[in-house]
Amino acid sequence: MYAAVFIDAVMVKVRDGQVANRPIYAAIGVSLAGEKDILGLWAGSGGEGAKFWMGVLTDLRNRGVRDVFFLVCDGLKGLPEVVGNAWPQAIVQTCIVHLIRNTFRLASKRDWDPLRRDVKPIYTAVNAGAARAALDELADKWGQRYPAIIRLWHNAWAEFIPFLDYDIEIRQVLCSTNAIESLNARYRRAVKARGHFPTEQAALKCLYLVTRSLDPTGQGKARWAMRWLSRPGARCRYCCRSVSPGRSPNPACVFRRTGLSTVSAVRRGSPSPRGWGSRRGIGSG
């Protein structure tokens, strides 16, 4: 069981008859104790798609990841339904950085500065109600000129608001896919140095060796745990989720807000297996 799972894909060039981009899917799990586990690498075909993510998440569930509190992703279309099939009680949180980036792509560059000032109150709001009010103000001011931006936020609203129920310490971790973007940056650096790969297995082997070389001194792991547990009392405003594994959630709130299993169930259960995905991946966990 993991408090949060971050998922993303990185593109690599593979020579299979001709050189083409292939997605390599990666997932990182963060435990209640702040420990990060790289859960696997899976090679796909074509572009990144929700259909392949279904196989990846099902593989993780079959390997023993019974429950996930939050799954943080980049807002790929169809992914919330896929997550619901794998973990029905998981909360899907879209990456705020990707959402803001897509907002500016739909606007003229000369409007970026005023638009930035009007968008900021939405993702820094104290709660979902205040965020909705800020979105309404954005729609009143920019809806005529950029209706696509308003549609973008409305379509992503259900996956945008979950992190607003939590204290700032938890928000900073859950609001973006930065936890896995740093890993992808190392992957891209290694891929760029090699150009392209003859087979998918060669690409997976390269990324596997990059993963094995990460954080040899353990200092990065210590910094992440310190950040994750920066204030053990940080929790959901409804007391249904706490960073500290020793704090029991409010059962009524869990049922009303998320329906997730309680934190005490983590202590009763066995630890989740660690390893590499077997679905067109490396080895088995």
Side-chain angles (χ1 to χ4, degrees):
M1 185 179 296
Y2 288 98
V5 170
F6 300 82
I7 61 174
D8 201 4
V10 60
M11 292 294 177
V12 302
K13 294 184 181 297
V14 176
R15 186 180 69 246
D16 185 10
Q18 60 181 1
V19 177
N21 286 328
R22 300 286 183 85
I24 302 294
Y25 298 79
I28 289 181
V30 181
S31 68
L32 290 173
E35 296 181 350
K36 288 197 299 185
D37 298 327
I38 301 177
L39 304 178
L41 293 171
W42 299 263
S45 58
E48 181 183 3
K51 183 177 180 180
F52 193 89
W53 274 121
M54 179 62 188
V56 171
L57 300 183
T58 302
D59 184 35
L60 291 177
R61 185 189 60 191
N62 293 339
R63 287 163 51 197
V65 183
R66 298 173 300 161
D67 194 9
V68 171
F69 291 177
F70 285 93
L71 189 135
V72 187
C73 58
D74 58 4
L76 184 66
K77 186 177 180 180
L79 195 55
E81 292 78 11
V82 167
V83 176
N85 291 332
W87 298 298
Q89 298 173 330
I91 300 175
V92 179
Q93 173 66 55
T94 191
C95 176
I96 308 305
V97 175
H98 283 82
L99 189 57
I100 295 173
R101 188 182 301 161
N102 293 334
T103 298
F104 290 131
R105 285 176 180 171
L106 298 173
S108 174
K109 193 171 183 178
R110 69 171 180 267
D111 294 327
W112 281 5
D113 287 339
L115 189 61
R116 183 182 297 110
R117 291 192 294 269
D118 293 333
V119 168
K120 186 175 181 179
I122 301 177
Y123 61 86
T124 58
V126 295
N127 53 44
R132 171 61 72 173
L135 179 60
D136 292 339
E137 294 179 2
L138 181 72
D140 293 339
K141 184 174 181 179
W142 298 98
Q144 293 289 336
R145 184 177 301 179
Y146 300 118
I149 292 179
I150 308 304
R151 287 196 302 269
L152 173 69
W153 282 87
H154 279 296
N155 293 338
W157 193 253
E159 289 76 40
F160 162 75
I161 59 174
F163 83 110
L164 294 175
D165 286 337
Y166 292 79
D167 290 342
I168 185 65
E169 290 84 0
I170 307 179
R171 287 190 185 192
Q172 291 175 348
V173 178
L174 295 179
C175 71
S176 73
T177 56
N178 286 346
I180 197 170
E181 289 294 348
S182 59
L183 176 66
N184 286 343
R186 297 289 294 271
Y187 287 163
R188 293 188 183 98
R189 189 183 310 168
V191 168
K192 184 177 180 181
R194 289 160 178 80
H196 63 271
F197 299 90
T199 63
E200 290 180 353
Q201 288 299 318
L204 285 170
K205 181 178 180 180
C206 173
L207 299 185
Y208 170 77
L209 293 176
V210 171
T211 305
R212 294 287 294 178
S213 67
L214 295 174
D215 196 23
T217 63
Q219 294 179 356
K221 179 179 179 180
R223 285 196 301 269
W224 173 266
M226 185 178 300
R227 178 188 177 193
W228 180 254
L229 300 174
S230 58
R231 184 159 68 89
R235 57 184 179 176
C236 168
R237 66 178 68 257
Y238 303 103
C239 305
C240 68
R241 279 289 177 264
S242 171
V243 172
S244 173
R247 182 185 298 275
S248 297
N250 183 336
C253 178
V254 174
F255 177 78
R256 177 168 56 87
R257 295 286 302 171
T258 63
L260 296 177
S261 54
T262 62
V263 176
S264 60
V266 179
R267 298 193 296 271
R268 295 196 299 268
S270 58
S272 301
R274 304 176 185 178
W276 297 94
S278 58
R279 190 175 187 270
R280 301 185 69 187
I282 301 177
S284 60

